[in-house]
Amino acid sequence: MGRRIYLEDVPLEEAWTRFTRALTEAGLDAPFPGEWVPLEQALGRVTAEPIWARLSVPPYAAAAMDGFAVRARDTAGATETQPRVLPVPPGPDGIGACYVDTGDPLPPWADAVVPVEQVQFDGEAPERATRITLYQPVPPWANVRPVAEDIAAAELVLPANHRLRPVDLGVIAACGYATVPVRRQPRVAILPTGTELIPPEEAAARGVRPGELIEFNSLVLAAQVREWGGLPTRFPIVPDDFERLLEATREAARTHDLVLINAGSSAGSEDFTARVVSTLGTLLVHGVAVRPGHPVILGILRVDGRSVPVIGVPGFPVSAALTGEIFVEPLLARWLGLPPRRRPRLDAVLTRKLLSPLGDEEWVRVTVGRVGGRYVAAPLSRGAGVLSSLVRADGILRIPRFVEGYDQGETVAVELYTDPEAIEGTILAIGSHDMALDLMAQFLAERWPGRRLRSANAGSLGGLIALRRGECHLAGTHLLDPESGEYNLPYVRRYLAGVPVVVVTLAHREQGLIVAPGNPKGIRDLRDLARPDVRFVNRQRGAGTRVLLDYSLQRLGIDPASIPGYDREELTHLAVAAAVASGRADVGLGIRAAAAAMGLDFLPLALERYDLVIPQDLYEDPWFRPLRELLHDSRFRAAVAALPGYDVRAMGVEVARLGP
Amino acid sequence: MGRRIYLEDVPLEEAWTRFTRALTEAGLDAPFPGEWVPLEQALGRVTAEPIWARLSVPPYAAAAMDGFAVRARDTAGATETQPRVLPVPPGPDGIGACYVDTGDPLPPWADAVVPVEQVQFDGEAPERATRITLYQPVPPWANVRPVAEDIAAAELVLPANHRLRPVDLGVIAACGYATVPVRRQPRVAILPTGTELIPPEEAAARGVRPGELIEFNSLVLAAQVREWGGLPTRFPIVPDDFERLLEATREAARTHDLVLINAGSSAGSEDFTARVVSTLGTLLVHGVAVRPGHPVILGILRVDGRSVPVIGVPGFPVSAALTGEIFVEPLLARWLGLPPRRRPRLDAVLTRKLLSPLGDEEWVRVTVGRVGGRYVAAPLSRGAGVLSSLVRADGILRIPRFVEGYDQGETVAVELYTDPEAIEGTILAIGSHDMALDLMAQFLAERWPGRRLRSANAGSLGGLIALRRGECHLAGTHLLDPESGEYNLPYVRRYLAGVPVVVVTLAHREQGLIVAPGNPKGIRDLRDLARPDVRFVNRQRGAGTRVLLDYSLQRLGIDPASIPGYDREELTHLAVAAAVASGRADVGLGIRAAAAAMGLDFLPLALERYDLVIPQDLYEDPWFRPLRELLHDSRFRAAVAALPGYDVRAMGVEVARLGP
């Protein structure tokens, strides 16, 4: 009887040190030996030894232009008025010229080339000329490409540990090679484990049943390995059976340089990885003080006398991907003789306060945009299961151990995933989530390659506040003012007082009650929310929908406390709809489109106006024009109008220009 | 009878406009349609349409930790002193708990999960517990992963025109896909033409005969196409035969989206490309005002009713590679729906004055290093044939039309090939070329991945001047002072007066006369250089070897003007040796190692000291330590000692510390 504590809490640096020390002892830390591959297949491979030129380039003196090979001294004194005439080919006295094409070897007797444009010749073609006339002299070696102008035999062409680019292949071929010695690519085995896992193909074919999880981590890990120069092998899913995992691991270790065991879950009863590692070799680390990624396992397997490193990769998708970056990438780099990859960094202003557990190093995903001449970083979901946050991430902010976090407005260093060019083209929207904004992002990327619209959900109010702080380019908002019954403008006046902004309508949307198909609980209106048999799902404070709800409840004299589930908050319309669809709630307030997307019923309550709030100077800026154009683009309007409950008649209308 | 002018001189922008207009008219400028490929093969491909989630992720509410599913209200009031005890599974009254692993669906009756670490349970394993004890309450929905926490069905997951990264594949699989719609890869045909061309395999097997050229441009172009997302096909070399080139081109156009015809030479009699293009379609441009790359051809072929763009790629390797970057890359990007690639830029100080022809835009290759807190750009060879300059280039400096060049010391914008991290790790050496420096570059890259030694050849004197200007980290020099007969120090005192530097010896080298094997001309010493039947090849002014020559000639009273070939200058020892090896010169002055590398005979004249001159602060800097360590590394010393004529006994010796 006892409380289970199953994980160590090894700091990242120490975990890495233990791992590399063990690798060194096993003789596994040196760059891999070379193999000779045809140049045609060598792009992106890494040289295993220096490349010394076997031939000089060019191997002989050659004509650098099309023209006539001559002896410079025979052209001396030629002028427009007193031209020199030379026979082709040279006469017995050795005086004369002969035609050469660019690249042709220079005849032994010649020491210069007169470009064809500078001479007059008889006959139709210079190739058939018998006499040429020169109007100016040429110096010795003019228009001659000397031997070894490019590369001299025995010269160092490329050092070892160089990743081969297209031009490198050309130079290597030019100096006498048809093959090149490159480092063998590390073979990496990826073993997904977990009885609950099903392959994507199966899920795509028949959907997912409760208790099942789609196995996609091995896709991500394999792609990472390939990107980093390794050769991945995805093993079939191994069910939760110690013996079978043991066998699969042994099998993988026989034929690979590195084994990744991806646990179906972080530390559950299914997790046999640690036991397998200690059975087949040495368990070095079980649990690293970094999040996401905590339950990482590091070890060395010994199979058939070979030592093979093994990494137990956590099951949560974000943890899995980051474990790849933290442990797999540097190991592959070492084996390939490359420096561990370092991402471009930039300093950005943090849009939200971040608190982080003292004991762990935390990797926070952020989206980055350039707003008003400075970079801002908006933290994304920190859930280890939220892979989409990694997809939307432009970079990573590391919060070291023993740092408890950063304040809103603080300048932090971001390691970029996205290339800086793309960030310059990013329009950053913070505010209420809306499906028309998703469409806008799609149309923008399609019509203006290189431009992006990123939206971070912070609710309508959060958006206005972020805009006031200069943390985004625009805010999407649908806030009803209880006093005036007017949408958005009162809030803009209050929260952006004195800031010159344009308020433009994106669309009107139908708000209402989202209920299960057929409305089994027979819900009619908001009064039913107070029924004890009805479970409600709410939106977060500051969300326009939440404001609408509280406003309506107040008018109806309904006490929020009397509503079961009032305290359960979701961040988007779709999340609310999803909660109802899954049967965990009976009703939620949201837009018709969300209900329709999930095949749910909908009871309309109100038509609300969703506006975009944009600083005036930006609104006028050419950089912003694509977004303005979209608001008047017929295809985009049609696409939005096609969303259930959306009315685009007012799209693009400037509701107001506020500010001084 | 007439002077041949065969090329237009179309400005780059106009050439591109003509080309794209024709593409638009032919309906060839739109992004390619999509094809569905398995996720496992989709890394690096570009989405052809937006990806909307088919499933919510997770599709059901799930336990976020290993622990016990409970109803939050049943845990209310639990404390360390007054714990709550719950039966497993729940009793008839519905009160109780049940064990769940991370990822397990939450039972319908439960609304929270208590982590296993926070409870006490009976039995060995929590899975088999029949009773749990709680010491604190849990709020509703604690440790529960709500439906759609990651992605809600019908949400936009990825827009079109997005290049797929590893994490993207995971998210796409997670929301219900096993395949993904990506843009078809453009098929690009590459046709090398030229009777003088031989494949690299043949050259590697039997060497190159006069008049032959190794065909490697198609290797470079194919690798570029692959890197830019296309599918290249390398066609066999087409000899100079109009009909055969016509046929090959027609054949290529039938099965490809773009045809590249790589002329064996720039505009010689072999160049049928223009005629082939006008025969099979429309010749749009023949000659672009950009160098290198001038004789580019742009056109549209019409074959079997299909229109296929064609680019005539110049034969000079640098022109060929740059033509790929200027014309092929943006076209492929357009077809893939990607923005044309833009390279990172940085401002750097130019180390040499650059003059450029007014009429053309010129692309100058530069190597870049960070010296004393600022970036410096050292121009490399501008020859269109010098592919190694493109290999050594860290970036490109564009000199626009109608700009006649830039001054030494001017700040210019460089478009980087090399990732900025690598530039931070670069040690930049300017001065006299030396083979031990080549070895040093190789050892550095091998021993310290990420560190690089770049040497630009400017002669010993040029190096000292560059060092004084703060344009390099160190200068390699071997300068004999005629008055004192002393090496290097007098010059350092004169050219670096007041600059605190350390002078360290790299090695002593044997200088002498390089002659053909068996010394056919029976050369004995410098006096023979004045013989009319002896052709000499010289080094450039400022080269240590040149100083040694002039010094020796003066002492012997030999008039340089009497030496045939005295005015012919080469930039390196190896180039001098190559000139002798090719029979274009009978004798040159240089080091024994160069003679040995080319299998030539050598008549020793002097033993000279080759020193490295390094600013003192840099010499003490940890960043510089790798290079200092190498000077005392036994393997490196052995490698240098193995070079013929090298003496390493003084390697690493600090000859002097000069300056205030």
Side-chain angles (χ1 to χ4, degrees), chain B residues 396-417:
Chain B
I396 284 282
L397 160 61
R398 290 200 209 190
I399 308 180
R401 284 182 97 206
F402 308 128
V403 171
E404 63 188 347
Y406 297 110
D407 275 335
Q408 177 274 324
E410 202 170 330
T411 297
V412 294
V414 176
E415 297 175 31
L416 291 181
Y417 289 132

PDB file of all heavy atoms in Angstrom, chain B residues 396-417:
ATOM      1  N   ILE B 396      25.795  36.252 -52.241  1.00  0.00           N
ATOM      2  CA  ILE B 396      25.847  36.966 -53.522  1.00  0.00           C
ATOM      3  C   ILE B 396      25.659  38.451 -53.269  1.00  0.00           C
ATOM      4  O   ILE B 396      24.811  38.848 -52.466  1.00  0.00           O
ATOM      5  CB  ILE B 396      24.707  36.456 -54.447  1.00  0.00           C
ATOM      6  CG1 ILE B 396      25.059  35.094 -55.026  1.00  0.00           C
ATOM      7  CG2 ILE B 396      24.389  37.448 -55.543  1.00  0.00           C
ATOM      8  CD1 ILE B 396      26.032  35.130 -56.178  1.00  0.00           C
ATOM      9  N   LEU B 397      26.489  39.244 -53.938  1.00  0.00           N
ATOM     10  CA  LEU B 397      26.307  40.698 -53.916  1.00  0.00           C
ATOM     11  C   LEU B 397      25.828  41.105 -55.302  1.00  0.00           C
ATOM     12  O   LEU B 397      26.492  40.822 -56.296  1.00  0.00           O
ATOM     13  CB  LEU B 397      27.633  41.384 -53.585  1.00  0.00           C
ATOM     14  CG  LEU B 397      27.768  42.855 -53.965  1.00  0.00           C
ATOM     15  CD1 LEU B 397      26.730  43.698 -53.256  1.00  0.00           C
ATOM     16  CD2 LEU B 397      29.180  43.337 -53.652  1.00  0.00           C
ATOM     17  N   ARG B 398      24.655  41.723 -55.365  1.00  0.00           N
ATOM     18  CA  ARG B 398      24.125  42.131 -56.669  1.00  0.00           C
ATOM     19  C   ARG B 398      24.505  43.570 -56.976  1.00  0.00           C
ATOM     20  O   ARG B 398      24.217  44.470 -56.186  1.00  0.00           O
ATOM     21  CB  ARG B 398      22.604  42.042 -56.688  1.00  0.00           C
ATOM     22  CG  ARG B 398      22.066  40.647 -56.658  1.00  0.00           C
ATOM     23  CD  ARG B 398      20.636  40.668 -57.161  1.00  0.00           C
ATOM     24  NE  ARG B 398      19.847  39.597 -56.572  1.00  0.00           N
ATOM     25  CZ  ARG B 398      18.634  39.293 -57.008  1.00  0.00           C
ATOM     26  NH1 ARG B 398      18.079  39.978 -57.996  1.00  0.00           N
ATOM     27  NH2 ARG B 398      17.955  38.315 -56.444  1.00  0.00           N
ATOM     28  N   ILE B 399      25.164  43.780 -58.116  1.00  0.00           N
ATOM     29  CA  ILE B 399      25.443  45.144 -58.576  1.00  0.00           C
ATOM     30  C   ILE B 399      24.439  45.455 -59.688  1.00  0.00           C
ATOM     31  O   ILE B 399      24.509  44.865 -60.768  1.00  0.00           O
ATOM     32  CB  ILE B 399      26.883  45.277 -59.104  1.00  0.00           C
ATOM     33  CG1 ILE B 399      27.878  44.748 -58.052  1.00  0.00           C
ATOM     34  CG2 ILE B 399      27.186  46.720 -59.465  1.00  0.00           C
ATOM     35  CD1 ILE B 399      29.323  44.831 -58.487  1.00  0.00           C
ATOM     36  N   PRO B 400      23.475  46.345 -59.419  1.00  0.00           N
ATOM     37  CA  PRO B 400      22.395  46.603 -60.384  1.00  0.00           C
ATOM     38  C   PRO B 400      22.932  47.217 -61.679  1.00  0.00           C
ATOM     39  O   PRO B 400      24.077  47.684 -61.732  1.00  0.00           O
ATOM     40  CB  PRO B 400      21.491  47.610 -59.662  1.00  0.00           C
ATOM     41  CG  PRO B 400      21.923  47.601 -58.228  1.00  0.00           C
ATOM     42  CD  PRO B 400      23.361  47.193 -58.223  1.00  0.00           C
ATOM     43  N   ARG B 401      22.115  47.209 -62.706  1.00  0.00           N
ATOM     44  CA  ARG B 401      22.477  47.914 -63.946  1.00  0.00           C
ATOM     45  C   ARG B 401      22.681  49.386 -63.630  1.00  0.00           C
ATOM     46  O   ARG B 401      22.069  49.928 -62.711  1.00  0.00           O
ATOM     47  CB  ARG B 401      21.337  47.821 -64.964  1.00  0.00           C
ATOM     48  CG  ARG B 401      21.210  46.500 -65.645  1.00  0.00           C
ATOM     49  CD  ARG B 401      20.083  46.561 -66.658  1.00  0.00           C
ATOM     50  NE  ARG B 401      20.559  46.828 -68.019  1.00  0.00           N
ATOM     51  CZ  ARG B 401      19.823  47.413 -68.963  1.00  0.00           C
ATOM     52  NH1 ARG B 401      18.624  47.865 -68.673  1.00  0.00           N
ATOM     53  NH2 ARG B 401      20.301  47.591 -70.168  1.00  0.00           N
ATOM     54  N   PHE B 402      23.528  50.005 -64.435  1.00  0.00           N
ATOM     55  CA  PHE B 402      23.767  51.457 -64.318  1.00  0.00           C
ATOM     56  C   PHE B 402      24.426  51.842 -63.001  1.00  0.00           C
ATOM     57  O   PHE B 402      24.482  53.012 -62.655  1.00  0.00           O
ATOM     58  CB  PHE B 402      22.454  52.243 -64.520  1.00  0.00           C
ATOM     59  CG  PHE B 402      21.740  51.846 -65.785  1.00  0.00           C
ATOM     60  CD1 PHE B 402      20.407  51.475 -65.763  1.00  0.00           C
ATOM     61  CD2 PHE B 402      22.431  51.788 -66.991  1.00  0.00           C
ATOM     62  CE1 PHE B 402      19.754  51.071 -66.922  1.00  0.00           C
ATOM     63  CE2 PHE B 402      21.785  51.399 -68.164  1.00  0.00           C
ATOM     64  CZ  PHE B 402      20.446  51.045 -68.125  1.00  0.00           C
ATOM     65  N   VAL B 403      24.877  50.851 -62.227  1.00  0.00           N
ATOM     66  CA  VAL B 403      25.749  51.139 -61.086  1.00  0.00           C
ATOM     67  C   VAL B 403      27.127  50.648 -61.491  1.00  0.00           C
ATOM     68  O   VAL B 403      27.267  49.502 -61.930  1.00  0.00           O
ATOM     69  CB  VAL B 403      25.275  50.422 -59.804  1.00  0.00           C
ATOM     70  CG1 VAL B 403      26.306  50.544 -58.697  1.00  0.00           C
ATOM     71  CG2 VAL B 403      23.928  50.983 -59.358  1.00  0.00           C
ATOM     72  N   GLU B 404      28.140  51.515 -61.379  1.00  0.00           N
ATOM     73  CA  GLU B 404      29.423  51.103 -61.953  1.00  0.00           C
ATOM     74  C   GLU B 404      30.275  50.327 -60.963  1.00  0.00           C
ATOM     75  O   GLU B 404      31.384  49.909 -61.299  1.00  0.00           O
ATOM     76  CB  GLU B 404      30.187  52.315 -62.475  1.00  0.00           C
ATOM     77  CG  GLU B 404      30.576  53.334 -61.416  1.00  0.00           C
ATOM     78  CD  GLU B 404      31.151  54.601 -62.063  1.00  0.00           C
ATOM     79  OE1 GLU B 404      31.459  54.541 -63.277  1.00  0.00           O
ATOM     80  OE2 GLU B 404      31.274  55.615 -61.364  1.00  0.00           O
ATOM     81  N   GLY B 405      29.755  50.130 -59.745  1.00  0.00           N
ATOM     82  CA  GLY B 405      30.483  49.295 -58.797  1.00  0.00           C
ATOM     83  C   GLY B 405      30.430  49.853 -57.393  1.00  0.00           C
ATOM     84  O   GLY B 405      29.646  50.765 -57.096  1.00  0.00           O
ATOM     85  N   TYR B 406      31.259  49.293 -56.509  1.00  0.00           N
ATOM     86  CA  TYR B 406      31.306  49.740 -55.130  1.00  0.00           C
ATOM     87  C   TYR B 406      32.749  49.916 -54.706  1.00  0.00           C
ATOM     88  O   TYR B 406      33.647  49.250 -55.212  1.00  0.00           O
ATOM     89  CB  TYR B 406      30.616  48.731 -54.202  1.00  0.00           C
ATOM     90  CG  TYR B 406      29.143  48.539 -54.480  1.00  0.00           C
ATOM     91  CD1 TYR B 406      28.675  47.349 -55.025  1.00  0.00           C
ATOM     92  CD2 TYR B 406      28.227  49.558 -54.211  1.00  0.00           C
ATOM     93  CE1 TYR B 406      27.319  47.160 -55.283  1.00  0.00           C
ATOM     94  CE2 TYR B 406      26.872  49.394 -54.470  1.00  0.00           C
ATOM     95  CZ  TYR B 406      26.429  48.194 -55.009  1.00  0.00           C
ATOM     96  OH  TYR B 406      25.093  48.017 -55.281  1.00  0.00           O
ATOM     97  N   ASP B 407      32.972  50.818 -53.753  1.00  0.00           N
ATOM     98  CA  ASP B 407      34.324  51.065 -53.260  1.00  0.00           C
ATOM     99  C   ASP B 407      34.700  50.075 -52.174  1.00  0.00           C
ATOM    100  O   ASP B 407      33.831  49.547 -51.482  1.00  0.00           O
ATOM    101  CB  ASP B 407      34.427  52.481 -52.692  1.00  0.00           C
ATOM    102  CG  ASP B 407      34.728  53.491 -53.799  1.00  0.00           C
ATOM    103  OD1 ASP B 407      35.300  53.061 -54.817  1.00  0.00           O
ATOM    104  OD2 ASP B 407      34.361  54.664 -53.644  1.00  0.00           O
ATOM    105  N   GLN B 408      35.998  49.867 -52.040  1.00  0.00           N
ATOM    106  CA  GLN B 408      36.506  49.118 -50.896  1.00  0.00           C
ATOM    107  C   GLN B 408      36.050  49.850 -49.635  1.00  0.00           C
ATOM    108  O   GLN B 408      36.045  51.075 -49.582  1.00  0.00           O
ATOM    109  CB  GLN B 408      38.037  49.050 -50.995  1.00  0.00           C
ATOM    110  CG  GLN B 408      38.694  48.352 -49.826  1.00  0.00           C
ATOM    111  CD  GLN B 408      38.940  49.300 -48.669  1.00  0.00           C
ATOM    112  OE1 GLN B 408      39.244  50.450 -48.877  1.00  0.00           O
ATOM    113  NE2 GLN B 408      38.761  48.787 -47.456  1.00  0.00           N
ATOM    114  N   GLY B 409      35.584  49.099 -48.616  1.00  0.00           N
ATOM    115  CA  GLY B 409      35.158  49.721 -47.370  1.00  0.00           C
ATOM    116  C   GLY B 409      33.695  50.124 -47.368  1.00  0.00           C
ATOM    117  O   GLY B 409      33.131  50.426 -46.312  1.00  0.00           O
ATOM    118  N   GLU B 410      33.058  50.094 -48.535  1.00  0.00           N
ATOM    119  CA  GLU B 410      31.641  50.446 -48.612  1.00  0.00           C
ATOM    120  C   GLU B 410      30.804  49.321 -47.989  1.00  0.00           C
ATOM    121  O   GLU B 410      31.187  48.156 -48.039  1.00  0.00           O
ATOM    122  CB  GLU B 410      31.262  50.656 -50.075  1.00  0.00           C
ATOM    123  CG  GLU B 410      30.024  51.524 -50.286  1.00  0.00           C
ATOM    124  CD  GLU B 410      29.835  51.912 -51.756  1.00  0.00           C
ATOM    125  OE1 GLU B 410      30.854  52.036 -52.477  1.00  0.00           O
ATOM    126  OE2 GLU B 410      28.681  52.065 -52.168  1.00  0.00           O
ATOM    127  N   THR B 411      29.680  49.689 -47.373  1.00  0.00           N
ATOM    128  CA  THR B 411      28.782  48.685 -46.811  1.00  0.00           C
ATOM    129  C   THR B 411      27.784  48.249 -47.873  1.00  0.00           C
ATOM    130  O   THR B 411      27.129  49.083 -48.497  1.00  0.00           O
ATOM    131  CB  THR B 411      28.025  49.247 -45.585  1.00  0.00           C
ATOM    132  OG1 THR B 411      28.977  49.562 -44.572  1.00  0.00           O
ATOM    133  CG2 THR B 411      27.046  48.203 -45.034  1.00  0.00           C
ATOM    134  N   VAL B 412      27.722  46.944 -48.103  1.00  0.00           N
ATOM    135  CA  VAL B 412      26.853  46.414 -49.159  1.00  0.00           C
ATOM    136  C   VAL B 412      25.923  45.348 -48.580  1.00  0.00           C
ATOM    137  O   VAL B 412      26.207  44.765 -47.533  1.00  0.00           O
ATOM    138  CB  VAL B 412      27.691  45.794 -50.301  1.00  0.00           C
ATOM    139  CG1 VAL B 412      28.501  46.865 -51.010  1.00  0.00           C
ATOM    140  CG2 VAL B 412      28.607  44.706 -49.757  1.00  0.00           C
ATOM    141  N   ALA B 413      24.804  45.101 -49.264  1.00  0.00           N
ATOM    142  CA  ALA B 413      23.855  44.066 -48.828  1.00  0.00           C
ATOM    143  C   ALA B 413      24.197  42.742 -49.508  1.00  0.00           C
ATOM    144  O   ALA B 413      24.316  42.684 -50.722  1.00  0.00           O
ATOM    145  CB  ALA B 413      22.427  44.482 -49.174  1.00  0.00           C
ATOM    146  N   VAL B 414      24.392  41.711 -48.702  1.00  0.00           N
ATOM    147  CA  VAL B 414      24.725  40.390 -49.230  1.00  0.00           C
ATOM    148  C   VAL B 414      23.542  39.448 -49.022  1.00  0.00           C
ATOM    149  O   VAL B 414      22.949  39.413 -47.940  1.00  0.00           O
ATOM    150  CB  VAL B 414      25.968  39.817 -48.514  1.00  0.00           C
ATOM    151  CG1 VAL B 414      26.251  38.399 -48.998  1.00  0.00           C
ATOM    152  CG2 VAL B 414      27.170  40.715 -48.720  1.00  0.00           C
ATOM    153  N   GLU B 415      23.168  38.729 -50.085  1.00  0.00           N
ATOM    154  CA  GLU B 415      22.160  37.672 -49.952  1.00  0.00           C
ATOM    155  C   GLU B 415      22.881  36.379 -49.625  1.00  0.00           C
ATOM    156  O   GLU B 415      23.725  35.930 -50.379  1.00  0.00           O
ATOM    157  CB  GLU B 415      21.367  37.515 -51.248  1.00  0.00           C
ATOM    158  CG  GLU B 415      20.565  38.739 -51.619  1.00  0.00           C
ATOM    159  CD  GLU B 415      19.892  38.571 -52.968  1.00  0.00           C
ATOM    160  OE1 GLU B 415      19.550  37.426 -53.330  1.00  0.00           O
ATOM    161  OE2 GLU B 415      19.742  39.577 -53.670  1.00  0.00           O
ATOM    162  N   LEU B 416      22.544  35.785 -48.484  1.00  0.00           N
ATOM    163  CA  LEU B 416      23.334  34.672 -47.961  1.00  0.00           C
ATOM    164  C   LEU B 416      22.929  33.319 -48.531  1.00  0.00           C
ATOM    165  O   LEU B 416      21.747  32.999 -48.639  1.00  0.00           O
ATOM    166  CB  LEU B 416      23.206  34.618 -46.446  1.00  0.00           C
ATOM    167  CG  LEU B 416      23.856  35.749 -45.660  1.00  0.00           C
ATOM    168  CD1 LEU B 416      23.641  35.525 -44.167  1.00  0.00           C
ATOM    169  CD2 LEU B 416      25.344  35.824 -45.981  1.00  0.00           C
ATOM    170  N   TYR B 417      23.929  32.536 -48.906  1.00  0.00           N
ATOM    171  CA  TYR B 417      23.743  31.106 -49.159  1.00  0.00           C
ATOM    172  C   TYR B 417      23.924  30.348 -47.841  1.00  0.00           C
ATOM    173  O   TYR B 417      23.232  29.403 -47.528  1.00  0.00           O
ATOM    174  CB  TYR B 417      24.807  30.584 -50.130  1.00  0.00           C
ATOM    175  CG  TYR B 417      24.659  31.035 -51.563  1.00  0.00           C
ATOM    176  CD1 TYR B 417      25.744  31.545 -52.252  1.00  0.00           C
ATOM    177  CD2 TYR B 417      23.443  30.935 -52.222  1.00  0.00           C
ATOM    178  CE1 TYR B 417      25.634  31.945 -53.574  1.00  0.00           C
ATOM    179  CE2 TYR B 417      23.320  31.325 -53.530  1.00  0.00           C
ATOM    180  CZ  TYR B 417      24.413  31.831 -54.210  1.00  0.00           C
ATOM    181  OH  TYR B 417      24.300  32.217 -55.507  1.00  0.00           O
TER     182      TYR B 417
END
